[in-house]
Amino acid sequence: MKRKLIFNILIVLSAAGGFLSCSDTWLMYDTSQKNKLYFSDGAQSLDRYLSTEAPFALLDESVKELRQTVPVKLLGMVADHDRTFEVQAIHDTTTNYTTGGVARELYDAVEGEDYTIDKLIIPAGSVEGRIEVTVKRTEKLKDKTASLVLQIAESDEFQGVPRNVYRILISDGIAACPNWWYHTATIQWYMYLGEFREEKYRKLLELYHGIEELNPSLYAEMVEQFGENIDNKTYINKNGVVTEIRTGFFHNSSNPYKMAWNRYVLSPLYEYYKTNYPDLETYGTYNGTLGTGWRDPANIY
């Protein structure tokens, strides 16, 4: 009995020591330390060089500006009021950039000429914020690409994470092949889109945008998932998993809009070219997963 009582006393003293230890740890936290902000694409590492594109090439000439929302995340304490922060544009040490088979010379974007920055806000009670950037269409973009490299600037309340930057590449002129379509399709066959051609790319987007008139609610869902010009980097698959938009995403078995892509975009695109340009490509020749032509999307199942 005495031994049990001693054992119980030891447990109480041990627990009390643990509470004191936790309390000491909390008291040791430096509340004067600045909160950190960083750009993130969902990966765990904060030390990342993130890059995205803002192309004008496929847009009507009347479109002179594009809005870009750059997400930022908070590493620190939330507040009960909206907070603003600061960013700075830094020099891009890259001199040339190639995307989708198109090589361009880079130059540092100039504020007021190539872009403007509007809102830099961390909303009250939130650990996520945004930077509202407007990029501008200029004549220089016909043969060069403007590079805007943003970095969180230190202010009274916030500081950035070392080597964490966000780059926006602003371009026009020749349309580059997107990452979900082989730009080398002339030698590397791709079954449901055939060879990449700029005019075919425009026709594909025309059909995609046409869904808005045929099925407005479906179109709104697809734009949310894939972007207005199929320019999102990811979408949510049937299993609720964030999935990269890459080659073959149209007919991926886990794509919840697989049949919509086929009905409204892929099949009409195929029939349009087969009817109007019968000698442009080889249509419908394939064998299993290999082939020498543009496979009929009717074979999607």
Side-chain angles (χ1 to χ4, degrees), residues 51-202:
S51 185
T52 191
E53 298 182 31
F56 284 97
L58 296 170
L59 304 179
D60 187 84
E61 286 295 328
S62 62
V63 179
K64 300 300 182 183
E65 296 182 342
L66 288 174
R67 296 279 288 179
Q68 296 280 312
T69 299
V70 181
V72 297
K73 291 190 176 182
L74 171 68
L75 192 64
M77 307 297 289
V78 298
D80 60 0
H81 57 278
D82 290 351
R83 291 180 288 178
T84 60
F85 57 96
E86 297 177 17
V87 294
Q88 58 187 7
I90 63 174
H91 173 60
D92 191 340
T93 56
T94 307
T95 56
N96 292 282
Y97 178 75
T98 300
T99 180
V102 179
R104 293 289 192 86
E105 178 185 344
L106 290 186
Y107 71 92
D108 289 335
V110 178
E111 186 170 10
E113 182 178 329
D114 297 300
Y115 73 94
T116 58
I117 295 179
D118 186 8
K119 298 178 181 178
L120 300 96
I121 297 173
I122 304 294
S126 179
V127 294
E128 296 184 350
R130 65 189 184 276
I131 302 171
E132 299 290 352
V133 180
T134 298
V135 298
K136 299 176 179 293
R137 195 176 205 169
T138 67
E139 284 301 314
K140 289 187 295 183
L141 299 179
K142 293 293 185 181
D143 53 16
K144 294 181 180 181
T145 293
S147 176
L148 171 59
V149 184
L150 296 175
Q151 188 174 55
I152 302 295
E154 186 165 0
S155 60
D156 292 340
E157 197 166 6
F158 298 107
Q159 62 183 173
V161 173
R163 297 180 298 278
N164 175 254
V165 299
Y166 193 99
R167 179 174 70 170
I168 300 175
L169 295 168
I170 315 164
S171 63
D172 198 1
I174 299 174
C177 177
N179 65 348
W180 38 263
W181 193 341
Y182 287 126
H183 73 270
T184 55
T186 51
I187 57 174
Q188 186 174 9
W189 173 78
Y190 180 53
M191 54 186 176
Y192 294 124
L193 288 174
E195 297 178 9
F196 173 77
R197 304 174 190 278
E198 184 174 349
E199 65 275 12
K200 189 195 292 186
Y201 191 6
R202 294 178 187 277

